[in-house]
Amino acid sequence: MFSQEMKDDLKTTLEEIESQGLMKKERVLSTPQGAKIRTRTTDGSEVTSINFCANNYLGLGDSTEIIQAAAETMRARGYGLSSVRFICGTQDIHKELEAQVSEFLGTDDTILYAACFDANGGVFEPLLGAEDAIISDALNHASIIDGVRLCKATRFRYEHSDMEDLERCLNEAADARYRLICTDGVFSMDGDIARLPEICQLAERYNALVMVDECHATGVLGATGRGTAEHFGLEGRVDIITTTFGKALGGASGGCVSGRREIVALLRQRSRPYLFSNTLAPAVVGGTLKAIELLSGSSKHIDRLRENATYFKERMTAAGFKIPDNASAIVPVMLYDEKLALQAAEMLLEQGIYVIGFAYPVVPKGKARIRVQLSAAHTHDQLDHAVAAFTEVGTELGVIEPTGR
Ligand SMILES: *Cc1c(COP(=O)(O)O)cnc(C)c1O
């Protein structure tokens, strides 16, 4: 029974969340995802703003080609399959998408999931047992943390991108049957990239497997968008890749595990989110196939994204902001102070720039920032507009010198 006691408890918790300023509010869009969106400010007035907080890196969220491919696939293969894959939820297009992802990522085989959250939730438990070790970066995504929890392997956590600490963990895990090093390819809060060359070297020295979650790297890193391994010229060295179709690749939903043949084969037999959750909708499969075709045929979207990221970072640096130098499309604009970051984000929205301020506990204390995510869909005019707004707000809040440029 939903008792008064429980109701009061939940209310108290909600009030605590609110009083700590941690209440997440959803901003409702009335347009497709894109460089320009229509939404409402906190006081309810409609604004059109330039969007810098989507994972729509390649600008494919409203691509007419993808929408058309999704619509055609839906007409040809129906709306939904009402089944898990191994009963009657596998169509030719699901096999085709697995083959195309494998081809794109340069792996043996690929298995689809409803989301990358499920891929990470289902990848560890079938492969590793109590006699094994998982060694995970401290800043890895929540879905990796949850997936590791579901597995009986011993857990080791190394300080973020700290290779000495990783080596310490590898030593401590020396007695394990198998060791798996697990990292995000691009970390979502700082946009920094995993130190894959060193991770692969350590993996070789200590006989460990390497798994990389490529959600923010697929379609973003590497000359042709193959991700972190391509960025570092380490193709073929990563044993397990997990990634999403819900970010750069059109942004609908779905994810996968891609990698060594026997690993994927066992996941098909034992991975619980694959076995017990519905298959991907045909429209999503068709749209994702088109996204991969677009990427495979031309580097124009990636080139555009990279050019935009460089353009924005250069101009923000010239305006006096401290911008870390990396190859990802995530730009943390560091304001350090928690209140300032949230206030700046609100002021920027009033100027038509939609960005999100992140403060403790999402990021460490004193490391508050505004996170800017660039897209191939942004025009130089829109980027100029953003830099001008940042400069005005930054000057007003005393974050940069008025003569910063
Ligand atoms: C977004 C993200 C996920 C979850 O992907 P979904 O397909 O949205 O479930 C997992 N890992 C990382 C690193 C992510 O950024």
Side-chain angles (χ1 to χ4, degrees):
M1 189 181 94
F2 186 43
S3 63
Q4 189 61 42
E5 188 188 353
M6 184 171 186
K7 189 172 174 168
D8 291 342
D9 276 349
L10 298 185
K11 270 180 151 167
T12 307
T13 306
L14 285 164
E15 281 158 18
E16 277 166 24
I17 295 172
E18 178 78 60
S19 70
Q20 290 164 355
L22 300 177
M23 186 63 85
K24 292 177 196 61
K25 301 198 171 92
E26 297 177 342
R27 209 172 279 285
V28 179
L29 313 187
S30 52
T31 53
Q33 190 61 275
K36 232 183 191 170
I37 50 168
R38 207 161 45 243
T39 180
R40 290 176 186 280
T41 56
T42 319
D43 63 23
S45 48
E46 263 225 328
V47 286
T48 298
S49 52
I50 309 168
N51 190 6
F52 288 97
C53 52
N55 306 309
N56 184 25
Y57 295 119
L58 299 176
L60 298 178
D62 60 352
S63 151
T64 47
E65 281 167 291
I66 290 181
I67 293 168
Q68 194 180 341
E72 279 167 11
T73 310
M74 180 157 70
R75 275 199 200 94
R77 293 288 180 281
Y79 173 64
L81 285 166
S82 302
S83 170
V84 298
R85 285 285 299 276
F86 82 96
I87 297 185
C88 50
T90 302
Q91 292 174 322
D92 48 358
I93 52 170
H94 294 86
K95 299 310 288 178
E96 172 69 12
L97 179 56
E98 290 178 339
Q100 290 301 323
V101 171
S102 306
E103 165 91 28
F104 183 73
L105 294 177
T107 51
D108 296 341
D109 200 2
T110 298
I111 170 173
L112 306 180
Y113 288 82
C116 190
F117 205 105
D118 291 323
N120 286 334
V123 68
F124 299 103
E125 188 255 348
L127 301 175
L128 303 172
E131 60 276 52
D132 303 316
I134 300 172
I135 305 168
S136 181
D137 187 289
L139 291 190
N140 278 346
H141 191 263
S143 53
I144 293 178
I145 295 168
D146 284 10
V148 172
R149 274 191 198 139
L150 294 171
C151 172
K152 293 201 169 63
T154 310
R155 301 157 211 173
F156 294 87
R157 201 178 92 128
Y158 62 96
E159 293 297 320
H160 173 52
S161 275
D162 182 335
M163 295 298 110
E164 272 179 33
D165 207 33
L166 169 56
E167 191 161 9
R168 171 190 65 79
C169 294
L170 286 162
N171 275 313
E172 285 179 22
D175 291 341
R177 180 184 56 164
Y178 304 127
R179 284 157 291 282
L180 171 66
I181 304 171
C182 181
T183 181
D184 284 11
V186 170
F187 290 87
S188 64
M189 284 299 142
D190 289 297
D192 58 324
I193 300 167
R195 294 164 69 174
L196 195 58
E198 289 144 286
I199 290 173
C200 287
Q201 268 176 12
L202 284 170
E204 226 157 83
R205 192 170 330 141
Y206 288 87
N207 187 21
L209 294 137
V210 177
M211 166 177 155
V212 184
D213 177 338
E214 290 282 83
C215 283
H216 286 283
T218 300
V220 175
L221 288 190
T224 61
R226 266 74 172 172
T228 310
E230 187 188 20
H231 175 76
F232 286 115
L234 292 169
E235 292 95 336
R237 294 280 294 276
V238 175
D239 302 293
I240 303 173
I241 291 171
T242 61
T243 193
T244 183
F245 312 136
K247 288 183 174 126
L249 299 181
S253 64
C256 65
V257 176
S258 195
R260 309 290 179 207
R261 187 169 313 287
E262 297 74 14
I263 289 177
V264 173
L266 186 64
L267 294 178
R268 275 190 217 286
Q269 303 307 315
R270 300 258 173 91
S271 182
R272 294 166 68 83
Y274 177 80
L275 293 173
F276 300 112
S277 184
N278 201 26
T279 188
L280 270 189
V284 172
V285 176
T288 306
L289 275 168
K290 178 56 79 174
I292 293 173
E293 184 192 318
L294 292 176
L295 276 195
S296 304
S298 141
S299 65
K300 79 170 180 199
H301 295 93
I302 298 207
D303 294 345
R304 187 66 200 275
L305 171 65
R306 199 151 292 150
E307 202 270 327
N308 275 349
T310 306
Y311 185 92
F312 180 77
K313 288 177 196 180
E314 279 175 6
R315 275 155 186 77
M316 286 292 281
T317 303
F321 289 95
K322 286 226 160 37
I323 305 294
D325 186 23
N326 62 54
S328 82
I330 297 171
V331 182
V333 180
M334 300 306 297
L335 298 184
Y336 306 103
D337 182 85
E338 336 286 341
K339 272 216 183 89
L340 270 188
L342 302 180
Q343 195 185 351
E346 200 58 44
M347 289 165 75
L348 284 160
L349 183 61
E350 279 159 25
Q351 299 222 16
I353 306 296
Y354 186 26
V355 286
I356 302 282
F358 286 100
Y360 179 83
V362 181
V363 294
K365 265 210 167 92
K367 289 262 174 82
R369 81 275 314 264
I370 287 174
R371 181 177 71 174
V372 176
Q373 291 177 283
L374 295 154
S375 169
H378 290 132
T379 63
H380 278 194
D381 269 359
Q382 290 171 332
L383 298 177
D384 289 340
H385 182 154
V387 175
F390 264 103
T391 305
E392 194 176 316
V393 169
T395 307
E396 192 173 327
L397 294 178
V399 181
I400 53 170
E401 297 292 320
T403 52
R405 49 173 71 233

